[in-house]
Amino acid sequence: MTTQTSTTATTETASPEARSGLLPPRIARATATAGGALAALSAFTAWTWTAAFPGDLTVYGYPGGLQWLVLVGGALTLLFGLSSYGVKGLRWLTPAGGDAALKLAAYAVFATTWYTVIAISAQLGGLINLEPGAYVAALAGLAALVGAQSLPYERPELPPADPEDSGWQRFKHDLGNRWTGFKAGFAADAPPPARKLPGYAEILIITGFLALGLAVFTYGITTEYDELFIGFLLTAGFGFAALTKAGLIARISALTARHRNVTLTGAFAAAAAFPFTQSDDQYATIGVNILIFATVALGLNIVVGLAGLLDLGYVAFLGVGAYAAAMVSGSPSSPFGIHLPFWGAILVGAAASMVFGVLIGAPTLRLRGDYLAIVTLGFGEIFRIAVLNLDGTSGPDITNGSNGISSIPNLNIFGFDFGAEHSIGGFTIGRFANYFFLMLLVTLIVVVVFRRSADSRIGRAWIAIREDETAALAMGINGFRVKLIAFALGAALAGLAGTVQAHVTYTVTPEQYQFAHVVPPNSAFLLAAVVLGGMGTISGPLVGGALLFLIPAKLQFLSDLQLLAFGLALVLLMRFRPEGLIANRRRQLEFHENEEAPATLTKAGA
């Protein structure tokens, strides 16, 4: 099994197709690197004369707002460029080769600088509002783009055109070949095996990676204005792609696989540190909602990612848990007048969702594929319409109809009031931060259940059903029972999250549990979170859920164009990385079966 060689060797042995470009390879590499360095330096100059543009880009000697993102992109481009030249001490940055990583980092510089320049001109009324530093940044971004476009990369062997083809057929053939080559530039490569480090060194690397993840997440969630968040998406998107292409993400994944318990502990410790980075509940609110959404997506991952059952009504189980917990938590709107402690309410919510999972799954799980998807979609709508009509007029007075169950009291566990502020180590923790910690504990429970289930005998049966149900049945697996267990377990985990959601939002209403609407959670976004993050993985749905909640929350300024922009982003991401952001090794092989399998996937392929 061959792997990508060093950049220098690739340049010398690449085909003429790979070497074609505006500039020779060495000059292209130098141009892209210099463009990134110049863009980073330009961040220390003034880009506009007035502070009317958000971020105050008028200061010399100190970056502000979007300039910080340009500085990060430029620094990343410079480091990858020096690494591709073989600078001593930096080769470890590009274990899978430097040219492709340099190309993507240069794209980040160009996209962020030119977006900033255009935004300043559009908002302030023309190019006259730009200071010399903005022109330098624009030229530096353009130089990085020109150099990146000229960088070589290995392209797959493409079929020659038929000599008898017409001009239009030749044009379509050439366009298809160029598109295939363009995709190859973004394809994920695996790095060669790394020199084994001492255990403590690997743990330190994992700790640093988790700290970096916390910093990026905190920065993204606390962006103060719309322009800064869009710039963050551009820099973070191209930066992640560059790190992936360089082979660093694969190296980190290999380390976390060797230290799974350490990684799990460190990840939750990093998440627990998030509320301490906030001075009020403004962003802690988004944080706890992200945890709820991501946890429900992880529960859906059992049904979709492990068992291969397409469930389009999964948000209904979240609603069942939320309504069941709200009815027994002391709400004055509840017809039962019951006030159970939290442990009782969360058990009621999980049990109610599990019962509904069994009741819905028992008659429908003998169906497959699209038929099962349609039935589950129908269940989601039936639940919403049922709770809407249980208002005392159209049916029994149980759910208060469209008014829902309101005034759900705050939790009080062992004397700890979740609705009050508390001081911990000199930090003031507000209401939503309290629920963030509680939801983090629920997420930990769901992660442990998912991990234990996936590694168990029943988990292997789920995977067998997903891969080939007929073959699994022939080997003696009781397909109906196995799928029903997956359906019930996934529903119970959604019920756990629904219990916390009911107390966080104070009110549960039918409108919160539609199939698709702008504000998640809903069934469409939950399924997208699983597919986007990576089916069959633990971290994939958590990352996908965080992105799919955060991005719509930050793109509200687009109004009617919000779903259009969001859908376009999903299409592009699925086009270039169909296996998801955090790819399962088996699924990565499936999506790249016509390409050479990466070295780290050889064992999985065997």
Side-chain angles (χ1 to χ4, degrees), residues 155-372:
R155 296 185 179 183
E157 293 185 6
L158 304 174
D162 189 342
E164 298 181 359
D165 284 347
S166 64
W168 171 245
Q169 290 172 328
R170 284 177 175 271
F171 172 76
K172 290 195 299 181
H173 178 271
D174 181 66
L175 186 62
N177 283 354
R178 290 184 178 276
W179 175 248
T180 302
F182 181 70
K183 289 193 298 178
F186 286 87
D189 291 329
R195 179 173 60 88
K196 188 171 180 58
L197 299 172
Y200 71 88
E202 294 182 344
I203 292 175
L204 287 176
I205 292 175
I206 293 174
T207 303
F209 175 75
L210 293 175
L212 177 62
L214 174 63
V216 172
F217 175 77
T218 302
Y219 186 89
I221 204 173
T222 57
T223 49
E224 299 176 350
Y225 47 94
D226 304 331
E227 294 85 355
L228 184 61
F229 182 72
I230 294 179
F232 167 76
L233 290 181
L234 293 173
T235 303
F238 282 112
F240 178 80
L243 294 175
T244 301
K245 194 64 180 177
L248 290 176
I249 300 298
R251 284 280 170 84
I252 294 296
S253 299
L255 293 180
T256 56
R258 286 202 291 267
H259 303 278
R260 296 178 64 182
N261 292 329
V262 172
T263 302
L264 183 62
T265 304
F268 278 92
F274 169 73
F276 295 102
T277 65
Q278 308 303 310
S279 57
D280 54 43
D281 266 359
Q282 178 183 2
Y283 299 114
T285 306
I286 300 178
V288 68
N289 285 317
I290 285 176
L291 273 183
I292 293 173
F293 183 63
T295 302
V296 178
L298 185 58
L300 178 60
N301 197 26
I302 292 179
V303 180
V304 176
L306 294 182
L309 305 174
L310 185 56
D311 189 348
L312 297 181
Y314 189 76
V315 74
F317 297 123
L318 175 69
V320 170
Y323 267 95
M327 291 177 183
V328 298
S329 294
S331 169
S333 302
S334 172
F336 301 109
I338 301 175
H339 191 178
L340 296 179
F342 175 68
W343 64 266
I346 197 169
L347 289 178
V348 168
S353 295
M354 178 181 289
V355 169
F356 270 85
V358 173
L359 292 178
I360 298 302
T364 61
L365 286 178
R366 300 187 188 279
L367 301 173
R368 297 187 186 182
D370 299 339
Y371 300 101
L372 177 62

Side-chain angles (χ1 to χ4, degrees), residues 1-4 596-599:
M1 183 71 63
T2 59
T3 57
Q4 184 176 355
E596 186 178 1

